[in-house]
Amino acid sequence: MVPQPQRVRRSSRQRDAVQESLAGTDAFVSAQDLYASMREQGNPIGLATVYRALQNMVEDDEVDVLRTDDGEAVYRRCSPSHHHHLVCRRCGRTVEVEGPDVESWASTVAAAHGFTAPDHVVEVFGTCADCTRAEAAQP
Amino acid sequence: MVPQPQRVRRSSRQRDAVQESLAGTDAFVSAQDLYASMREQGNPIGLATVYRALQNMVEDDEVDVLRTDDGEAVYRRCSPSHHHHLVCRRCGRTVEVEGPDVESWASTVAAAHGFTAPDHVVEVFGTCADCTRAEAAQP
DNA sequence: GTCATTGCAAACGCTTTGCATCTGT
DNA sequence: ACAGATGCAAAGCGTTTGCAATGAC
């Protein structure tokens, strides 16, 4: 495995703004959402710049990215170590969780079928406490 | 929960062809791939029809669908019961696996954070035996 | 001065939709 | 005959890219 050359990154107002915006939430947000909210807050930025900043952060393992069922990419700042997510299907709030059991289960299953270099994606969806309450009040 | 009205489906040459095409493989394939391979095999069909047929099958729980990292939807015929997938990242070959441990882990984690109605997505990726051999021969 | 970054608009690729036509029942 | 299915082309939508201008170091 190559240590990957890690391109030089210059800092800039826009890049910092994206990071800050991402730091301000616990939810997975799309590039479009970020773009819109940054503009609303009087923070001029180009859509392409948002995408490029996010791409860079993904490369640098500063954010997690996953695809929604309708194909949109959503991003979230994350801790650098391996982990999984518990995502509220209503409000998008996210909790990082660890699952040592899952890790071993995944590699066992892979090995049992002759698969090597196992990797896995585990996302748990649910309705968070607040939203469960909200749904009970107004279904 | 509503028993879902389950729309009427008429049979047709094209629809049957899509089903048959899906039945012939163990891999997750995209709508575009299906479209291309069906045409190659002298089976005229419209791209929109492929998409519509696949949508119907997903609604009827006849196929699984998931998104690749680049946002393409890929489909695979599946057994009706709950299960997870072990997918070869090289050739797309797929094995359905069960993971009772994972099920319980997911609901435990959800409950621990006050989340209700847990659901989860677990996909294990790896390189299958054949592809591991192929990679060793030609990296 | 050099080279990464930005913004815009155009290009892309996958997917969906409108609509007239065809077809299964 | 009625309602669903088809094909084509056009539209949608999120994302990427070309390119000239700008800004960091």
Side-chain angles (χ1 to χ4, degrees):
Chain A
M1 185 151 314
V2 186
Q4 80 195 87
Q6 182 85 340
R7 221 180 190 284
V8 175
R9 309 256 188 244
R10 281 176 195 172
S11 70
S12 77
R13 181 181 56 75
Q14 293 89 332
R15 191 179 291 282
D16 293 350
V18 171
Q19 270 198 71
E20 199 180 316
S21 226
L22 228 40
T25 178
D26 261 1
F28 272 96
V29 295
S30 69
Q32 310 270 353
D33 288 345
L34 260 151
Y35 171 71
S37 73
M38 290 176 73
R39 297 217 131 198
E40 270 180 28
Q41 290 166 33
N43 220 332
I45 192 173
L47 181 55
T49 305
V50 175
Y51 277 105
R52 285 190 276 232
L54 289 170
Q55 278 170 181
N56 289 345
M57 294 178 197
V58 170
E59 278 172 31
D60 298 350
D61 291 316
E62 287 170 30
V63 305
D64 277 336
V65 55
L66 58 88
R67 293 271 175 178
T68 64
D69 279 348
D70 54 297
E72 216 181 0
V74 287
Y75 306 82
R76 181 179 187 275
R77 65 168 161 60
C78 72
S79 54
S81 64
H82 179 80
H83 59 269
H84 300 296
H85 296 114
L86 174 57
V87 187
C88 176
R89 63 166 68 85
R90 219 174 125 103
C91 70
R93 199 163 69 82
T94 300
V95 181
E96 288 185 3
V97 296
E98 287 180 36
D101 306 343
V102 181
E103 320 296 319
S104 55
W105 171 82
S107 37
T108 302
V109 161
H113 290 86
F115 279 55
T116 61
D119 189 9
H120 59 282
V121 176
V122 178
E123 305 294 345
V124 182
F125 296 92
T127 309
C128 75
D130 290 351
C131 289
T132 299
R133 219 171 298 126
E135 281 191 352
Q138 176 152 48
Chain B
M1 184 148 315
V2 186
Q4 83 194 81
Q6 182 86 337
R7 218 176 193 286
V8 174
R9 310 257 187 243
R10 282 179 193 168
S11 68
S12 78
R13 180 182 56 76
Q14 293 89 331
R15 191 177 292 279
D16 294 349
V18 171
Q19 271 199 70
E20 199 180 316
S21 227
L22 270 169
T25 178
D26 260 0
F28 272 96
V29 295
S30 70
Q32 309 270 353
D33 289 344
L34 262 156
Y35 171 70
S37 73
M38 290 176 72
R39 296 217 133 199
E40 269 180 29
Q41 290 167 34
N43 221 331
I45 191 172
L47 181 55
T49 304
V50 175
Y51 276 105
R52 286 190 276 233
L54 289 170
Q55 278 170 182
N56 290 345
M57 294 179 196
V58 170
E59 278 172 32
D60 298 350
D61 291 315
E62 288 171 30
V63 305
D64 277 337
V65 55
L66 59 88
R67 293 270 175 179
T68 63
D69 279 348
D70 54 296
E72 215 181 359
V74 287
Y75 306 82
R76 181 181 187 274
R77 68 170 158 60
C78 72
S79 54
S81 65
H82 179 80
H83 59 270
H84 300 296
H85 296 115
L86 173 57
V87 186
C88 177
R89 63 166 68 84
R90 218 174 128 101
C91 69
R93 199 163 69 81
T94 300
V95 181
E96 290 185 3
V97 297
E98 286 180 38
D101 308 343
V102 181
E103 319 296 320
S104 56
W105 171 82
S107 37
T108 303
V109 161
H113 291 85
F115 280 54
T116 60
D119 189 7
H120 59 280
V121 176
V122 178
E123 305 293 345
V124 182
F125 297 91
T127 309
C128 75
D130 290 352
C131 289
T132 299
R133 218 170 297 127
E135 281 191 353
Q138 175 152 47

